């Protein structure tokens, strides 16, 4: 769905990656907006490769995630164990910085953005209860057939952190493939190996942090 154009250029981004900026929606604390960063050179004409690369990053940054979220709601797929852990995507929205992807703002109980697994490990905040919940998510990843092409400790966050009865882990990014050839979707064995490697590495990190 396309809404009225949002003015984001005067707003500070919450986060910045190599390809996108993340903004709070100026009219709703429940929403965030992901906007593509134009990497084309301004002082010269971009080459064919630069144009193709930028377009690919733009399209995959919006279409990839949205398409996979829509696929996740297809009835046969709704039974996949990973589906309850995927943070909602609400559509696209026009902004003065270009088309944005409208996603749920996954927050802690204090209203701040939910802490990532990386932060929880760094701060020694992975309690026994949180560890058990994270293990259940990792089991769901292993048993899932859903394409997760960019699994990392920044893309998994603890929703409602600080309210133990409500705390739950959510995947906020990394749906589908970020490569030209969607290996995770075309080759189930490749996808399975990637997931197992991620889970094994994270479990080793957790064990090294003292959470056996």
């Amino acid at each position: 769905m396309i809404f009225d154009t949002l003015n984001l250029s005067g707003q500070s981004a919450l986060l910045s990656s190599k390809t996108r900026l993340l903004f709070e929606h100026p009219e709703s604390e429940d929403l965030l907006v992901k906007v593509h960063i134009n990497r084309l050179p301004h002082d010269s004409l971009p080459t064919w490769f630069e144009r193709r690369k930028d377009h690919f990053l733009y399209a995959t940054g919006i279409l990839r995630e949205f398409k996979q979220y829509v696929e996740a709601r297809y009835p046969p797929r709704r039974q996949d164990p990973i589906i309850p852990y995927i943070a909602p995507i609400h559509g696209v929205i026009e902004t003065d910085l270009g088309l944005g992807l409208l996603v749920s703002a996954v927050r802690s109980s204090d209203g701040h953005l939910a802490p990532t697994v990386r932060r929880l490990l760094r701060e020694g905040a992975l309690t026994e209860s949180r560890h058990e919940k994270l293990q259940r998510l990792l089991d769901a990843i292993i048993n899932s057939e859903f394409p997760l092409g960019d699994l990392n400790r920044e893309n998994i966050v603890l929703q409602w952190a600080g309210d133990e009865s409500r705390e739950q882990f959510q995947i906020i990014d990394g749906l589908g493939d970020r490569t030209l050839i969607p290996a995770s979707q075309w080759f189930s064995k490749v996808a399975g190996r990637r997931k197992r490697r991620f889970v094994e590495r994270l479990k080793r990190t957790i064990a090294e942090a003292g959470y056996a």
Side-chain angles (χ1 to χ4, degrees), residues 137-172:
L137 168 57
L138 297 181
D139 289 342
I141 289 173
I142 290 295
N143 294 316
S144 172
E145 296 182 1
F146 196 77
L148 299 168
D150 187 25
L151 284 169
N152 64 67
R153 286 174 283 176
E154 296 288 340
N155 288 345
I156 302 175
V157 302
L158 183 63
Q159 186 176 33
W160 304 121
D163 184 348
E164 185 174 350
S165 64
R166 301 175 68 193
E167 288 181 347
Q168 60 181 2
F169 284 96
Q170 293 273 283
I171 297 173
I172 58 170

Side-chain angles (χ1 to χ4, degrees), residues 5 11 13 19 21 33 48 54 64 80 88 119-120 139 164 180-181 185 202:
T5 300
Q11 185 175 328
T19 59
L21 296 172
V33 185
W48 177 88
D54 188 71
R64 168 183 54 82
D80 191 288
R119 177 181 162 188
L120 293 173
D139 289 342
E164 185 174 350
L180 185 60
I181 298 176
Q185 299 175 57
L202 182 51

Side-chain angles (χ1 to χ4, degrees), residues 6 71 133 144 211:
L6 286 183
E71 290 285 348
K133 292 175 180 179
S144 172
Y211 304 96

Side-chain angles (χ1 to χ4, degrees), residues 43-211:
D43 55 351
S44 62
L45 289 176
T47 65
W48 177 88
F49 177 77
E50 288 171 329
R51 291 196 304 271
R52 293 302 301 166
K53 181 179 180 181
D54 188 71
H55 178 266
F56 174 76
L57 293 173
Y58 165 76
T60 55
I62 295 178
L63 295 178
R64 168 183 54 82
E65 283 194 70
F66 194 39
K67 177 179 183 295
Q68 292 305 323
Y69 185 75
V70 171
E71 290 285 348
R73 267 53 193 172
Y74 181 56
R77 274 199 164 180
R78 285 195 301 222
Q79 306 306 315
D80 191 288
I82 204 65
I83 302 305
Y85 294 99
I86 297 175
I89 296 175
H90 300 281
V92 294
I93 189 166
E94 289 285 0
T95 83
D96 60 341
L97 299 178
L99 196 65
L101 187 66
L102 198 62
V103 302
S104 288
V106 183
R107 298 187 182 276
S108 300
S109 60
D110 62 5
H112 292 98
L113 290 183
T116 65
V117 167
R118 183 183 299 278
R119 177 181 162 188
L120 293 173
L121 288 169
R122 185 179 66 243
E123 297 179 354
L126 192 64
T127 64
E128 182 177 349
S129 173
R130 292 171 177 178
H131 180 215
E132 292 175 357
K133 292 175 180 179
L134 181 56
Q135 290 295 328
R136 287 198 289 271
L137 168 57
L138 297 181
D139 289 342
I141 289 173
I142 290 295
N143 294 316
S144 172
E145 296 182 1
F146 196 77
L148 299 168
D150 187 25
L151 284 169
N152 64 67
R153 286 174 283 176
E154 296 288 340
N155 288 345
I156 302 175
V157 302
L158 183 63
Q159 186 176 33
W160 304 121
D163 184 348
E164 185 174 350
S165 64
R166 301 175 68 193
E167 288 181 347
Q168 60 181 2
F169 284 96
Q170 293 273 283
I171 297 173
I172 58 170
D173 203 349
L175 306 185
D177 282 282
R178 289 188 174 183
T179 55
L180 185 60
I181 298 176
S184 294
Q185 299 175 57
W186 289 0
F187 309 106
S188 59
K189 289 185 178 179
V190 172
R193 283 198 299 270
R194 286 180 177 176
K195 291 174 182 176
R196 286 193 298 273
R197 283 199 298 266
F198 167 75
V199 169
E200 289 167 359
R201 286 197 303 268
L202 182 51
K203 285 187 174 181
R204 284 198 301 270
T205 301
I206 291 171
E208 291 167 358
Y211 304 96

